[in-house]
Structure formats: structure tokens, C-alpha cells
Amino acid sequence: MPALPNASERLDLRLVPPALAAWVVAWQGRLLPPGVLFGAAGVMLIFAIVLLGVHRRGRMLVFVAVLGCSAASATVTALHTASRSTGPLATAADRAAAVTVEAVLLDDPRKALGPAAAGSGDRELVVARVRVEVLRTAGRTYRLRSPVVVLTSDPAWLPLLPSQRVQVEGRLRPPERGDDVAAVLSGRGPPVVLSGPSTVQRAAGHLRAGLRRAVDPLPAAEQGLLPGLVVGDTSQLDPAVREDFRTVGLTHLTAVSGTNVAIVVGAVLLLSRRLRVGLRASPVLAAVALAGFVVLARPSPSVLRAAVMGLVALVALSSGNRRAAMPALATAVLVLVLVDPDLAATPGFALSVLATAGLLVLAPTWRERWARHMPGWLADALAVPAAAQVACGPVVVAISSQLGLLSVPANLLAVPAVAPATVTGVLAALLAPVWLPAAQAVAWIGWLPTAWLVLVARVGASLPGATVPWPDGLWGALLLAALTAALLPALARRRARLALLAAATGVLVATTGLAAARPTWPPPGWFLVACDVGQGDAVVLSAGSGSAIVVDAGPDPAAIDGCLRRLGVRQVPLVLLTHLHADHVDGLPGVLRGRSVGAVVIGPLDDPEEQQRDVVEQAARAGVPLQRSALRERRAVGALQWEVVAPARRYRGTSSDPNNNSLVVRVSVGPTTVLLTGDIEPEAQRDLLVRSADIRATVLKVPHHGSDHQEPAFLDAVGASVVLTSVGADNSYGHPSADILGRLVAHGAASFRTDLDGDIALTHRNGRLVVLGRDR
């Protein structure tokens, strides 16, 4: 690995203010009308010309450069904004017009969650970025080149590759202020493919598909992570792993960045040196490797940006010339912002720039200081990730609204694994199209460093206090930046370091004391826990030491996985899914992860084909059988006994058929009965009353997150003394209804909510039911 630049060399910062000014103008200028930007650009240009005529020396030239670059950035940004806010596409979007477009895909279509109708939870959407080239609306045809984002529920988009030309019908609407597209198209029906992908994109598609085949034999966590480490392909990434990475500050490893570029090109240069390749041939090989990696990762704007930043960092490392490195970085920022002003507002661009700046500004000084007390290679290994993490911290907290206390140690532990995983992943991708067994053998070599990263993230995320809340947005970033700027110079003094060490020790002691004083979780003898999984349902029923029945899995694999970890659940004899809405089943991978699961049970009625297929595929990948329940079916596990009391018939044409078709289960544990109701609505609730089903219960899980769509007579008939509402804080559906909960409380029930109480546990003490909340 090339050495860090010499810390004794002074930095040349003259180009930093102009580049920073152009960046800020492009970032904020996207929110301003084009006329204002053109006017501001003219004023700044006039001032620059006047000053240049009066003063042509020293700092004044830097100020003139700031004005000139700001004017150029404002002009380019205004042109971009004007091209999107005017013309036939913008007019059609303002009218919410029905259109037919011909467009070219700019990136891989991806899955995302969007709001469903009637507040029934989230639904899965496909998001695709395209460049519209032909627009047909109101009997007229227009030719243009404008970026548009397509939202659709049709999975036929997912196999498509960038550069393919498609025709799609739908309805336009304007984008949000500051978006980097001209319009949003709600697609209707599948796309009509008009042409295949380009040669480059076809090659990228084959290589990426080959990498997925190569990692197919690996365990699920590493199988999804290795392509993310290599080319940013997170399509198969385990959501629980994704959440662990986010918690400990390793998310940047799953996005193509300058680090990937530096590793690949650096490996080629190192190999060239070992093979004694000539000085003229080595740069050529490095350029070929860079081009190949760009093809593998897809030549999208984010990848090209990463390539530029990676080259800047690599040149600085290889040359050891610290003075020339900052002008190179500033020039790269300036050129990229002027070519594509939208980059200025993307977190990925900010993280790449800041990580490279940290490598050039902070790492050499830290490395030199630490090398006095440890081997040079270890000082290098510690200084690089620490500097990058400190530099990127303000952007990370602005995005996540939390400060990762374990980010630096987690990144330090990750350092030895990143390069081996990346290099073996690239080799596997190159081998897969021609020799798959060899590619899979190489992938198994890459499994070891990848498994280490999974372990680091999993252990770190499970530790108490891994993150602390932090203000999000610009103010949170500025606050952390100010603290960082104040602390870094102070830490150069021995007394300041000792004071900070004493303060950190005090915080650690206080935190440990508070954790020890906090009531243990779970409470002894718990038999039911309603997990705080956000806007969704997940209930855990104790089936003995380390074993539990899970009823619904919530919307987030990480949330239910965390709840089960806190409860010490390692075995799940049964996962019971009341119905297949996303807020009840999307967390299933979190239940299956690392646990022995006996079976997944769904309701007796057919559910929408796509939702059912997802559950079937997840169970099959985990080797878990899928079963169907039946009305009046009775089961028992340990002290648990339960009976299925609904549905007795298929609902069609109701306010929500899937909700009304939910399984309703009556659970008995000692003297306590619990009615778990899924999301049933008044139609199904009235049917239970008409059938005189035994729905009396001590505890009621309030149907459909406490929505106001309830049958009062049903709630009265249950007669619960405790009601549990599983609901997300500040959700957009208005759940739970104050009227419904007020009615239940007025009839003598004690009310508990996961958005207020966190995980909610039921236990028995001296023969009496006790309800305890873990608190958020």
C-alpha cells in the first residue's frame, strides 16, 4: 500500500475557497428561481472584473476566483433548473396529464416502499430513473431530453438494464422542490422494451449477474454483502445486515466510492511493481483496471464521481506530494459541480469529497504522531479510517439523526477486511462468465473477510449505547462540525487529551452505572411481548427458555431481529403471519436470521400472488416449510395454547379484503387469555359476533393499529382489561384513534402503546397480570 503524504509539507489551499463556493452555490441554487441565479451571477461577475482590474495580487486573486467560480456555478445551475421547469414536460406535469413517453433507463430499477391506499400499510414500488426523449400527450408529440423518475408497482421493470429504451404510459406530476428530475411519472402497466442495452451496459449486467451467481453458495448474510462491497449491488442484502451497518457507521462500504477505486487500481499497481512492469506500462494497466471497474460498477454519475475521487486519493498516496493533492481535489470538485450541479446536493458526493480531504489533511499528521508509539503500518491502518470517519461525521449525522459512538472502532476493525473482500469479489466477477466453479471458489475466499465485517457490525449494533440521538439536517451537521473543529486543535495539547480522556471515562462509568441500575429486560416470567417495530405488528409468545412463537414480523427485519435478540430468542418453533401486508411480513428475514425456525404459517385463504410469492421464497431460502392454518385449529407449545377463531369465510368487496381475511387467534397462558386480531375491520368483527365465536379475553391486541375503523360492539364483547396497540410514532395514518382508545379506557381497560412504551411485556406476579414497558 502506498504511504501517506508527508505531514511536514504545507497544504496549498488557494483553490479550496473557489471550489467550496461553487459547491455551495450549486447546492442552494437548485432551490432558487433561474432568474435570481442569473441576476446573482451577473452581479458577481461584474464585481470580479472590477476587482481584477484594481488588484491582481495575493488574497484578492483568491477572492476574485471565488466570485468567478460562484458566478459560473450559478449560471450552470440556473440553466439546469430552467431546462427542467419550462417546456412541454413541465407543463404536462403541472396539469397531471396522462402521457406516453419513450425513455432511456439511466440506472438499475430498484424496489422501494410507498404508501398504500386506505391506510392499509406500505406497498412495494419499483423506482426507475429515466431520460425522456419522446413525449406524447393531448394528441401532440415532443422531442426532448429530460430526467424523470418513474414510480410503478409492476415488477417487469426490475430485470431491465441501464441504456435500454422503453415506452411507458402513465400520469405526470411535478417533482418536489429541489429534486433533480423534471417530473415524476406514475407508470401504468409494464414497460414496452424498444431496444436492448448498450454493449458496455450489457457487459456490466453480465459481470454483475456473474458475481451474484458466484456468491450464491455463500451464507445469506455474506451472499448479499459481498456484491455490495464490490460494486454497490445491495439488491440481495439482508435488511438486518443493512441496519447493523447503519448503526455502527459502516454503510459507506456498500456504496461505490473512491475507496473501491483506490483499492482496485492500487492492487493493480502493486501487482505491476511485484512483476517488475515498466514505469510506462503500469499507468496503462491502472487505467485499464479503472475502466474495467467503472464498467463492472456501471458507468453512472455516482460511479464516475467515485472514480475521480479515488484517483485523486491514489495520486496523493502514490506521489507522497501533499502540497499538490489539495489543488487536485479542489479542481475535481469544481469540475464535477460545474458539469453536474445536482451532485452538489447528493450525500455520496459530500462523503467522497470529505473522506478524500480527511485522507489528505488529517491522516498524515495523525500517522506521524502515532508512529512514535507504534509500528508505521499500524499507524497507517489507524489514521486513514479515523480521518475519514471524523471528516464524514457531519454529513452522516445530518442524514441519520444519530451519532454513532462505535463508528471509529468499527471502521478500524473493518480496515483489514475491506481490501481482500473487494479484490476477491472483483476476481469472482471476472471469472464467473467463463469459469463459474473457479469464481465460486474465489468467492469462498472472499467469504472470510466479508463474514468478519458482518460479525463486527452485528456485535457493535447489539451493544448498548451504540448510537445516541443527534439533531438531523444542516444544524446537526454544523453542530458536529463545530465540535470537531474545536476539539481537533485542542487535542494537540497533552492536558487537553488528558481532560478528554477523563471526561470519556466519566461518561463510560456513568453510562455503565445507569445501564446496571435500569430494570432488566425482559422481565422474569414474561409470556408475551409486543415488539416496538414501528408502524406494524410483531408479537412474541414465550415457548420456553430461548424459544418463542412469533405472530407477525413487522415491516423492518432489523426491528424484529433486535426485539428477539433482547429477549434471547434463538429458536422459533412457529412464525404465524396473520396476513401478508408489508407491515406484518416484511420483517420476516429478521426472524429467520440466525435462528432455528420450525415453520412459517399463513392463513387459510389465498393472498395476493406477489405477496404470497415473497413469503414462499423467503421461507424456501431459509429451508423452512410453509404451512396453512385452519379455522378452529388448536395448538400448544409449552404453557401456550391457542385456537384460530377467524376467518370463517373469504371477504370480497369490503373496505380492505386482506385486512378482513386476517387470522384471529385466541391465546391462553395460565389465567390470562389474549386475542390477537391482525388488522380485521368492522365486517370481520361483526361476523365474529354473529357466529358467537369465543372472543372474550383479558388482553386485546387492538385491530389495525388502533384505527378508527372498528365495530364498537366487538370491542365491548371482548371485555379486555388490558389493550395493546402496535403503532409507529408520528405515522401518516393518524393511528391510533383517540376516540377508540378513549372508549376502551372508559370501559375500564389499561392502554399501552408501542410508540410510547416501546416493547411491551406481559408477565404474572403472585397470580396477577403485570404489564411493563421497556420505554423508547
Side-chain angles (χ1 to χ4, degrees), residues 576-579 601-607 628-633 643-652 654 656-666 675-681 683-685 687-688 691 693 695:
L576 187 64
L577 302 177
T578 61
H579 64 299
V601 179
I602 61 176
L605 307 178
D606 290 332
D607 289 275
R628 285 194 178 275
S629 62
L631 182 66
R632 289 185 288 275
E633 176 184 22
E643 178 184 6
V644 177
V645 297
R649 66 180 181 89
R650 184 187 308 280
Y651 291 89
R652 297 188 186 277
T654 63
S656 174
D657 295 341
N659 283 351
N660 280 316
N661 286 326
S662 293
L663 282 172
V664 178
V665 180
R666 188 170 183 265
L675 191 67
L676 303 176
T677 57
D679 280 355
I680 60 171
E681 299 193 352
E683 296 90 343
Q685 295 173 13
D687 277 1
L688 284 166
R691 290 194 294 110
I695 56 175

Side-chain angles (χ1 to χ4, degrees), residues 186-232:
S186 296
R188 185 173 63 249
V192 178
V193 179
L194 302 178
S195 67
S198 66
T199 302
V200 171
Q201 293 290 359
R202 186 180 293 111
H206 284 316
L207 290 172
R208 291 162 72 95
L211 177 57
R212 287 193 289 269
R213 291 196 302 273
V215 301
D216 193 56
L218 304 186
E222 292 78 14
Q223 178 189 66
L225 179 58
L226 188 54
L229 297 172
V230 178
V231 294

Side-chain angles (χ1 to χ4, degrees), residues 2-6 9 269 273 311-326 328 360:
L4 287 168
N6 191 338
E9 288 187 274
L269 291 176
R273 185 182 303 172
L311 281 178
V312 170
L314 190 65
V315 168
L317 287 171
S318 300
S319 66
N321 189 344
R322 192 183 187 214
R323 181 173 177 79
M326 284 304 292
L360 302 177

Side-chain angles (χ1 to χ4, degrees), residues 151-163:
L151 302 179
T152 177
S153 58
D154 197 313
W157 283 83
L158 292 173
L160 299 180
L161 297 176
S163 77

